[in-house]
Amino acid sequence: MSSSRRLRTRHRGRVLIVEFDNPPRHFYDEQTSIELEALTRAVQRDRTVGAVLFTGRGSSYLTHFDVPTMVRAARTTRFRVGYPWAVMTVSAGRLAVRSQLANRVLASTPARDLMVLARTYAALDRLNRSDKVIVTAINGMALGMGCVFALACDIRLTADDIELGLPESALAVLAAGGGTQRLIRAVGTSRALDMLLDGRRLTAAQAHELGLVHYVVPGDELRRYGFAVADRLARRSSVVNREIKRAVYRAGTRPLPAALRSEAAGLVTTLTSRQALRSLDAYHRHLSSQDELTDDAVIGGWIPLLEDGVPPEDRSR
């Protein structure tokens, strides 16, 4: 994958590093949505990638949505669209984004801004369904779309001196792109309501306390730490990555009986992979070689598998 105007990419081992590059503040615009949609499709097919690390070029992250794009979208329709019509419009957009022809045709019509939204939903959903681990290192302010994007990543690290949040209510706009739903799942209903209604910004420490981010790191160590996390997780089984994400993102919001069936299917899928067999054999040999099964002996068998991983499994199974 080559560099693009909004998303700069480079490979480092099994990690694909992606930098937002729309100076001065990397606002999320139509071109970003086009490139992100294409990138997520390419990553889905790339077996050399085990993890993706998103961050911002320079000292800015994905600050927020491009305001001129939002103004244009608000002015496209001269009348208020009621909720039932909006549901049909959004559904049509999500179907259209699957077609390259529809994308080209609608790009020159007032529906182009609807396609930005549809592409964004599709791309972020693809990240959640991916068998790659998606890590983001938040190296600058992340408001609105910046925070929405971070919430769609599996592992979120942030510099200790940044702020993030969903302040869209101040503009009389809903935090979309999956922002409301992923926020609820990250911090719970009560805290999500408080953040969304008030539009309150959080410091890195507050975001960590609420569970919005996983790690807070000194700014000058963020990229190194973010890559270390991505590099370690890139060596894990793609089969188990996919099933863990299915269990968390999909089954975790379904009724318990259906969720348990999905979990059981995930166990069967992972247990019958070749990588699982190699890992289980290695761990069994380790336990069998111990004179005494102390706590240290047991942990000693897990550490190499967790830290170093094993060669990628044969995907023919």
Side-chain angles (χ1 to χ4, degrees), residues 47-119:
R47 296 186 178 184
T48 69
V49 174
V52 183
L53 172 62
F54 285 96
T55 192
R57 181 165 263 198
S59 59
S60 291
Y61 186 65
L62 193 64
T63 302
H64 58 62
F65 206 95
D66 180 61
V67 176
T69 300
M70 295 185 70
V71 171
R72 187 179 67 213
R75 288 177 173 168
T76 296
T77 304
R78 297 295 182 179
F79 55 88
R80 180 178 175 272
V81 179
Y83 185 79
W85 282 102
V87 169
M88 289 188 285
T89 301
V90 169
S91 298
R94 297 187 77 164
L95 288 173
V97 80
R98 300 175 186 175
S99 165
Q100 291 185 353
L101 176 60
N103 268 280
R104 289 195 296 270
V105 170
L106 295 175
S108 58
T109 73
R112 64 184 290 191
D113 297 310
L114 174 63
M115 298 302 288
V116 173
L117 182 65
R119 276 192 296 269

Side-chain angles (χ1 to χ4, degrees), residues 18-304:
V18 183
E19 292 182 314
F20 301 115
D21 188 22
N22 184 21
R25 296 304 300 260
H26 310 326
F27 293 127
Y28 187 92
D29 62 1
E30 181 180 28
Q31 183 61 29
T32 308
S33 77
I34 292 170
E35 293 183 15
L36 182 64
E37 210 268 341
L39 176 77
T40 56
R41 288 184 183 276
V43 166
Q44 200 171 33
R45 299 188 297 267
D46 194 338
R47 296 186 178 184
T48 69
V49 174
V52 183
L53 172 62
F54 285 96
T55 192
R57 181 165 263 198
S59 59
S60 291
Y61 186 65
L62 193 64
T63 302
H64 58 62
F65 206 95
D66 180 61
V67 176
T69 300
M70 295 185 70
V71 171
R72 187 179 67 213
R75 288 177 173 168
T76 296
T77 304
R78 297 295 182 179
F79 55 88
R80 180 178 175 272
V81 179
Y83 185 79
W85 282 102
V87 169
M88 289 188 285
T89 301
V90 169
S91 298
R94 297 187 77 164
L95 288 173
V97 80
R98 300 175 186 175
S99 165
Q100 291 185 353
L101 176 60
N103 268 280
R104 289 195 296 270
V105 170
L106 295 175
S108 58
T109 73
R112 64 184 290 191
D113 297 310
L114 174 63
M115 298 302 288
V116 173
L117 182 65
R119 276 192 296 269
T120 300
Y121 274 105
L124 298 188
D125 184 62
R126 205 170 287 118
L127 293 181
N128 289 165
R129 292 177 180 271
S130 173
D131 60 1
K132 330 294 183 186
V133 180
I134 312 299
V135 181
T136 190
I138 307 169
N139 63 313
M141 180 178 284
L143 302 179
M145 188 58 206
C147 186
V148 169
F149 179 85
L151 283 166
C153 297
D154 304 320
I155 304 293
R156 297 177 289 280
L157 305 89
T158 182
D160 56 4
D161 59 350
I162 65 94
E163 291 184 325
L164 66 165
L166 297 169
E168 285 91 337
S169 61
L171 301 174
V173 175
L174 183 70
T180 63
Q181 299 310 297
R182 290 188 174 96
L183 181 66
I184 291 167
R185 288 157 176 74
V187 305
T189 303
S190 179
R191 288 170 170 171
L193 268 173
D194 177 49
M195 283 186 63
L196 292 166
L197 291 171
D198 191 55
R200 186 163 45 90
R201 301 190 313 277
L202 301 177
T203 64
Q206 290 170 331
H208 182 259
E209 183 180 356
L210 291 180
L212 192 62
V213 299
H214 300 95
Y215 305 102
V216 177
V217 183
D220 58 355
E221 298 180 19
L222 180 65
R223 290 175 186 270
R224 179 185 62 80
Y225 197 95
F227 176 77
V229 171
D231 185 50
R232 183 176 72 251
L233 297 179
R235 287 171 277 182
R236 300 290 175 81
S237 161
S238 60
V239 175
V240 80
N241 286 342
R242 184 181 62 242
E243 294 307 322
I244 286 172
K245 291 166 74 166
R246 194 199 308 272
V248 172
Y249 293 131
R250 308 294 168 187
T253 58
R254 298 171 68 188
L256 185 59
L260 293 177
R261 287 194 296 272
S262 178
E263 180 192 72
L267 171 62
V268 173
T269 297
T270 56
L271 189 61
T272 54
S273 72
R274 293 188 181 184
Q275 185 163 342
L277 180 58
R278 291 200 300 272
S279 298
L280 286 165
D281 278 344
Y283 184 57
H284 179 61
R285 287 194 301 271
H286 168 79
L287 292 180
S288 299
S289 69
Q290 303 301 307
D291 294 331
E292 184 180 358
L293 290 180
T294 63
D295 288 355
D296 287 344
V298 171
I299 295 299
W302 286 94
I303 289 175

